[in-house]
Amino acid sequence: MILLPVPTVLEAAYLVAAPARIPADPTALVEDRWSSLPWPDEPPPVGLRIRETGADDPALAPVLEIVCCGECSPELEPLFPLLSGRSSHLLVTCAAPPGWPPLHLWAGSHAVDAVAAVSGGVRVDVDAARLLPDPWRPPPLAAVGDFGVARWIRVEASGERDGLGLRTLGLARLGVPELRVGEPGGLGPKAGEAAWWTHVLHGLAQVLVTRLFTDVACYPGRGSRAVPAELTVTAADIAAAEARPAGSDPSVREPVGLSLRYEVSRGGAQRFIVGRVF
């Protein structure tokens, strides 16, 4: 078993890049929508902050790193001049306790949509380093079984010396370490396996996030939780993660056994190194 810390607060970051105008009080742009959102129950304490920022903000460093790597995310290349120039941006951050429902993701996405609709600009998911659709209004969080984690994360593939390196982006804001397959300079998946591994990582993320929701609900206030060092991902897990009918994707039919190795970087970032057992 692997013992993981349970954070007290989780935060999601979104960006309205290069808006046409910077309002004097950007938070006022979302007040009406915030109060009228179809919350799952009574509106819980969810912290919202909206502030003006620029390219030198440390909060934008991870997404700038991805944007600079044309091989990693060619679809983000048009963002580089917007994010790295002198333009001002609006950073939207939303915080809430871990567990179900992950309202900091859902409410934050509605907030960035409201800000962008009024001020203009490009919607960016900072944590997952991806462009957001216009508009970006995910459906209400009705039940744990309806939550598909693939909607909220991104799997990035980059070339390594002996294969591909794949990693998730955006999973940490759900309270789960990011996932990585293949280590820099080491033996990783082959290029033709990227799609297969993406599905498997979606399924593994679904399993880990669902376990977190269960653990927090069963043991509120506990500062740590145990995760098995080996887990099995099924086609049903992948279908739940990707919010589609079970069996609709034949690429992963049999259960996949995976090993997890827990690492913490000097900066405190957590990740699981994922290997295949069977």
Side-chain angles (χ1 to χ4, degrees), residues 13 63 66 76 125-130 152-154 169-171 173:
V63 71
I66 300 299
L76 296 180
D125 183 341
V126 174
D127 300 307
R130 60 177 180 171
W152 303 98
I153 67 174
R154 188 164 74 88
L169 297 168
L171 191 54
R173 60 187 173 183

Side-chain angles (χ1 to χ4, degrees), residues 16-35:
V16 178
R21 66 183 186 89
I22 302 291
D25 184 7
T27 305
L29 299 177
V30 301
E31 286 180 349
D32 291 341
R33 183 181 293 192
W34 193 259
S35 61

Side-chain angles (χ1 to χ4, degrees), residues 108-121:
S109 66
H110 282 269
V112 75
D113 194 55
V115 173
V118 175
S119 64

Side-chain angles (χ1 to χ4, degrees), residues 123-191:
R123 298 158 172 84
V124 180
D125 183 341
V126 174
D127 300 307
R130 60 177 180 171
L131 288 169
L132 293 175
D134 177 11
W136 168 234
R137 296 167 188 169
L141 301 170
V144 176
D146 297 328
F147 181 76
V149 72
R151 179 189 294 272
W152 303 98
I153 67 174
R154 188 164 74 88
V155 177
E156 177 196 70
S158 58
E160 303 288 0
R161 184 181 62 194
D162 297 313
L164 286 176
L166 290 93
R167 62 169 179 164
T168 60
L169 297 168
L171 191 54
R173 60 187 173 183
L174 279 160
V176 173
E178 299 289 356
L179 309 175
R180 182 177 180 102
V181 182
E183 301 184 52
L187 184 63
K190 298 178 182 179

